Amino acid sequence: MALYLKTLKVLPSWANGLGVVAEHWYLHCASEATDAFLPMIGVDLDYVSRGYSYYAVETQITKFALLSVGDELRSDLQILMYDQKRIQFLVTVIREGREIVAIEQMYIHVDKAVGKSCDAPSQVFERLKLFGEAHKLLPIPDVVGRSVGKSEPML
């Protein structure tokens, strides 16, 4: 089972001038989930203050339905691939048991002082590996690996 990491409620400030949830709030849901996960592998505020972190470098958002103000959401996270420098996540946002959006992301471990990728230290990698190995047993959702223009329309 993917990790259930975050519960969110769609706020009125998330709606744009058309009365629908603006695009960046879908990404916000994924960020909240990954921000909840990273401390679980040792990438917390103390770790970041030492000059290292993971940065999102690629994102694919696939919407299956629109969000509305007041919706209660849960965000689940599945590790699709990992190595010493990279983590590929799928965050699924669910409303009332139905998948609303799938957000696939690639994160890179970075040494902020030099502005380049680097291997995660062994204590972080070993914690990541525990989750990653468990997630290898999960099926890969059909949405993984899609690209712009290759997805079915949501409506």
Side-chain angles (χ1 to χ4, degrees):
M1 171 178 229
L3 290 171
Y4 165 54
L5 288 173
K6 197 72 176 179
T7 301
L8 298 166
K9 186 170 186 172
V10 178
L11 302 174
S13 61
W14 292 21
N16 62 21
L18 301 173
V20 297
V21 172
E23 184 76 22
H24 65 277
W25 290 107
Y26 290 85
L27 183 56
H28 172 77
C29 294
S31 295
E32 289 287 320
T34 54
D35 286 351
F37 173 74
L38 289 173
M40 297 169 73
I41 61 169
V43 181
D44 55 15
L45 292 176
D46 182 55
Y47 183 83
V48 171
S49 74
R50 292 192 308 262
Y52 299 93
S53 191
Y54 280 92
Y55 289 178
V57 294
E58 187 173 352
T59 301
Q60 172 69 30
I61 300 173
T62 304
K63 293 183 202 172
F64 302 105
L66 297 175
L67 293 173
S68 299
V69 172
D71 285 348
E72 293 189 13
L73 311 171
R74 67 177 272 160
S75 293
D76 293 350
L77 180 142
Q78 180 178 348
I79 297 169
L80 302 169
M81 184 284 303
Y82 67 96
D83 61 24
Q84 298 239 220
K85 287 186 182 180
R86 301 174 295 168
I87 311 171
Q88 182 182 0
F89 295 112
L90 180 68
V91 175
T92 305
V93 179
I94 299 163
R95 177 186 62 210
E96 298 176 356
R98 183 173 174 223
E99 187 176 291
I100 301 301
V101 64
I103 303 155
E104 183 179 354
Q105 292 187 294
M106 179 65 71
Y107 274 60
I108 300 292
H109 189 264
V110 174
D111 178 339
K112 297 188 300 181
V114 296
K116 293 188 176 192
S117 66
C118 65
D119 287 352
S122 61
Q123 68 271 22
V124 169
F125 182 70
E126 290 303 316
R127 290 180 189 169
L128 172 60
K129 188 175 179 181
L130 291 173
F131 289 101
E133 290 302 307
H135 286 197
K136 281 184 178 179
L137 303 173
L138 299 173
I140 302 295
D142 291 339
V143 70
V144 170
R146 290 185 180 182
S147 61
V148 175
K150 303 289 184 190
S151 300
E152 290 294 317
M154 66 173 204
L155 301 175

